[in-house]
């Protein structure tokens, strides 16, 4: 029978430091106390907001699935249910809610063959305008903070129309290297801009607020 982990209570009059040691409160600098208080408050707020966003997404997906199901029952057909892209607009056209699906893509080892072929192309081509392609390729094969290739940047290379057999083999290598590992589902909320037919997203992430 495994032991149950019970959080250790910090005795009154003490604070635990980053090394796990108990330090008497009167021995902790006021600036350290103030910093700790600020961090603890912000983290508590962030955890609450995270829980509310998680609940919002769950409720939104459930409501959208119910709406799709009701629509299907009206015509006696079984529709996509929980999956599939759906656009919902309020009666006055002011708001729009979008449910969208996106595949999670990774690249297999074949991406290295594509990179080698592309570099060979650039080395073979004359200088000049192709310097721009070199920059594009370097950006496409740069990795993010997690060490993964940036999917959108790599796929952008496949949109280039270049009449070169080696380049075409490179694009085929990219295509063959694409592997779908699952899918992600998103709920996005939009508000119409004035009386136009354009909509702007209502930000649900800190960076966009």
């Amino acid at each position: 029978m495994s032991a149950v982990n019970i959080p250790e209570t910090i005795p009154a009059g003490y604070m635990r430091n980053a090394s796990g040691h108990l330090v008497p409160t009167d021995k902790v600098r006021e600036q350290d106390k103030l910093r700790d208080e600020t961090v603890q408050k912000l983290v508590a707020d962030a955890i609450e907001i995270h829980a509310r966003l998680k609940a919002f997404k769950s409720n939104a997906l459930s409501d959208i699935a119910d709406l799709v199901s009701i629509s299907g029952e009206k015509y006696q057909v079984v529709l996509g249910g929980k999956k599939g892209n759906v656009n919902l607009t309020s009666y006055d056209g002011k708001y729009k809610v979008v449910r969208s699906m996106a595949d999670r893509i990774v690249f297999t080892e074949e991406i290295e063959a594509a990179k080698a072929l592309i570099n060979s192309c650039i080395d073979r081509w004359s200088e000049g305008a192709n310097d721009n392609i070199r920059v594009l390729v370097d950006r496409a094969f740069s990795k993010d903070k997690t060490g993964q290739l940036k999917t959108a940047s790599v796929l952008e290379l496949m949109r280039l129309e270049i009449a070169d057999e080696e380049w075409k083999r490179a694009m085929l290598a990219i295509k063959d290297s694409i592997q779908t590992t699952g899918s992600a589902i998103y709920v996005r909320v939009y508000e119409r801009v004035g009386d136009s037919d354009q909509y702007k997203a209502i930000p649900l992430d800190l960076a966009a607020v």
Side-chain angles (χ1 to χ4, degrees):
M1 184 175 180
S2 59
V4 178
N5 292 325
I6 301 176
E8 184 180 350
T9 302
I10 299 177
Y14 287 85
M15 294 179 66
R16 189 184 302 280
N17 65 16
S19 299
H21 302 144
L22 293 176
V23 180
T25 304
D26 59 1
K27 299 298 183 182
V28 179
R29 295 189 313 149
E30 289 302 318
Q31 185 65 27
D32 291 339
K33 293 178 184 177
L34 180 60
R35 185 188 309 110
D36 180 73
E37 181 182 351
T38 300
V39 171
Q40 297 288 354
K41 176 183 179 300
L42 291 176
V43 169
D45 290 345
I47 291 173
E48 180 185 355
I49 292 171
H50 172 75
R52 292 174 61 186
L53 280 174
K54 188 175 181 180
F56 165 76
K57 182 178 180 179
S58 177
N59 293 335
L61 292 177
S62 177
D63 290 347
I64 293 171
D66 288 345
L67 185 63
V68 171
S69 178
I70 292 171
S71 177
E73 290 174 359
K74 179 180 178 181
Y75 299 102
Q76 298 181 348
V77 295
V78 178
L79 300 179
K82 296 181 179 179
K83 296 184 178 181
N85 297 342
V86 177
N87 287 270
L88 308 175
T89 307
S90 61
Y91 189 70
D92 61 3
K94 185 176 181 180
Y95 300 107
K96 181 168 63 173
V97 177
V98 176
R99 182 187 70 185
S100 60
M101 303 288 293
D103 289 334
R104 292 192 179 97
I105 293 175
V106 296
F107 298 100
T108 67
E109 72 284 350
E110 292 161 310
I111 197 67
E112 294 300 324
K115 183 177 180 181
L117 286 167
I118 291 172
N119 285 330
S120 177
C121 285
I122 297 176
D123 291 340
R124 178 166 46 83
W125 293 337
S126 61
E127 297 181 358
N130 288 312
D131 287 343
N132 296 325
I133 298 179
R134 169 71 74 180
V135 173
L136 184 62
V137 170
D138 288 343
R139 185 177 63 186
F141 285 97
S142 63
K143 296 183 179 181
D144 60 20
K145 294 180 180 178
T146 64
Q148 300 297 316
L149 290 175
K150 300 173 183 177
T151 304
S153 297
V154 174
L155 297 182
E156 187 177 349
L157 295 176
M158 299 179 68
R159 299 190 183 96
L160 298 176
E161 293 290 341
I162 298 178
D164 184 284
E165 289 304 316
E166 192 171 33
W167 178 268
K168 291 179 180 179
R169 292 205 309 274
M171 296 305 102
L172 180 60
I174 291 178
K175 181 179 178 181
D176 290 343
S177 74
I178 295 174
Q179 186 176 70
T180 301
T181 60
S183 60
I185 185 167
Y186 302 92
V187 176
R188 297 182 174 91
V189 184
Y190 298 86
E191 182 178 15
R192 191 169 65 185
V193 180
D195 295 325
S196 70
D197 58 355
Q198 301 296 315
Y199 285 82
K200 64 178 180 180
I202 297 175
L204 295 176
D205 63 279
L206 290 177
V209 173

